[in-house]
Amino acid sequence: MKNNEELQTDVQKAIKWEPLLHAAEIGVTAKDGVVTLTGVVDSYAKKVEAENAAKKVIGVKALVEAIEVKFSGTWTKTNSEIAKEVLTALSSNWAVPKDRVKVTVENGWVTLGGELPWNYQKDAAKSAVNYLAGVKGVTNNIKIISESHDTIEKKAVEDAIARSWSIDDTDINVSVSGTTVTLHGTVNSWYQKEEAGRIAWNTPGIWHVKNDLAVDYYFALVD
């Protein structure tokens, strides 16, 4: 099991390994599996990349992200310019239904709203915005309102998770209540937690996923 110093070093190396983050000044602290990221970057894309890199490190149980986005010099974009570029990015993304996502921009921070039938569309909408210049942050408030009236079958969700080669589902428990799927139990990496949630979100008829899976790398060593 990694101690705090080892986990801190591994996360630092993972961040520096990403080409976009070679020169980024990102601080990393670790305590009992909880990693905190601090510092200043010049694009929201770098903030997202740092977060994703940290999540992939074995031993990370939780992430506290406190990175600021500040643009160099006097360069900036108006909210109107950003909003126009966001709308263009959304309209050119095949995974995002046309005219279904509402956009507001305040001080460079983009908020996405509206209703979509699938969670992958919600994720695609945010991804389309992440790498736009001038964006300081993104809040994804899009709601999932499924157009399918299929009854969610617990076993179907369990089988879908079990089919994934990347997930050890021995301690994953699935419960279903109406249009909500809840995941309980323990997995050995943040990636497995997010992947299990992503698979659950693919269930026809789903509106909500409660991902209560705990991340415990040591669990995999003693199981």
Side-chain angles (χ1 to χ4, degrees), residues 8-210:
Q8 178 188 34
T9 299
D10 282 353
V11 174
Q12 288 171 334
K13 289 180 178 179
I15 289 173
K16 288 297 183 182
W17 188 254
E18 295 298 325
L20 195 63
L21 303 174
H22 277 169
E25 294 297 327
I26 297 174
V28 179
T29 59
K31 185 175 181 181
D32 300 329
V34 179
V35 170
T36 300
L37 304 181
T38 58
V40 178
V41 293
D42 59 5
S43 73
Y44 181 66
K46 291 182 179 180
K47 181 174 181 175
V48 172
E49 287 292 315
E51 179 180 340
N52 289 339
K55 286 181 179 180
K56 294 174 184 176
V57 175
I58 294 176
V60 176
K61 296 181 180 180
L63 188 66
V64 179
E65 196 275 289
I67 299 172
E68 292 184 68
V69 178
K70 291 185 178 180
F71 304 123
S72 58
T74 58
W75 181 88
T76 186
K77 284 186 177 181
T78 66
N79 291 329
S80 296
E81 289 173 330
I82 294 172
K84 184 177 179 179
E85 292 184 6
V86 170
L87 291 172
T88 299
L90 293 174
S91 65
S92 61
N93 191 310
W94 66 268
V96 182
K98 299 293 187 267
D99 303 321
R100 296 283 294 273
V101 177
K102 299 177 182 178
V103 177
T104 58
V105 182
E106 184 175 355
N107 297 325
W109 195 282
V110 178
T111 300
L112 304 177
E115 298 177 354
L116 293 174
W118 292 97
N119 191 69
Y120 82 86
Q121 297 168 332
K122 176 180 179 178
D123 289 343
K126 183 178 183 301
S127 295
V129 180
N130 285 347
Y131 292 86
L132 295 179
V135 173
K136 292 184 177 180
V138 181
T139 300
N140 197 347
N141 288 336
I142 296 172
K143 294 181 180 180
I144 303 303
I145 307 295
S146 177
E147 296 173 348
S148 170
H149 299 291
D150 294 351
T151 300
I152 297 175
E153 298 290 342
K154 174 184 173 181
K155 190 176 186 307
V157 181
E158 292 173 335
D159 290 347
I161 293 174
R163 283 194 295 270
S164 174
W165 64 268
S166 62
I167 300 176
D168 179 0
D169 67 326
T170 54
D171 196 51
I172 295 178
N173 299 304
V174 177
S175 60
V176 175
S177 177
T179 58
T180 298
V181 170
T182 302
L183 304 179
H184 304 278
T186 304
V187 291
N188 57 41
S189 70
W190 195 307
Y191 171 81
Q192 289 194 15
K193 174 176 179 173
E194 291 200 333
E195 182 66 4
R198 184 193 67 78
I199 292 171
W201 268 116
N202 288 340
T203 308
I206 199 165
W207 287 28
H208 306 284
V209 171
K210 295 181 180 179

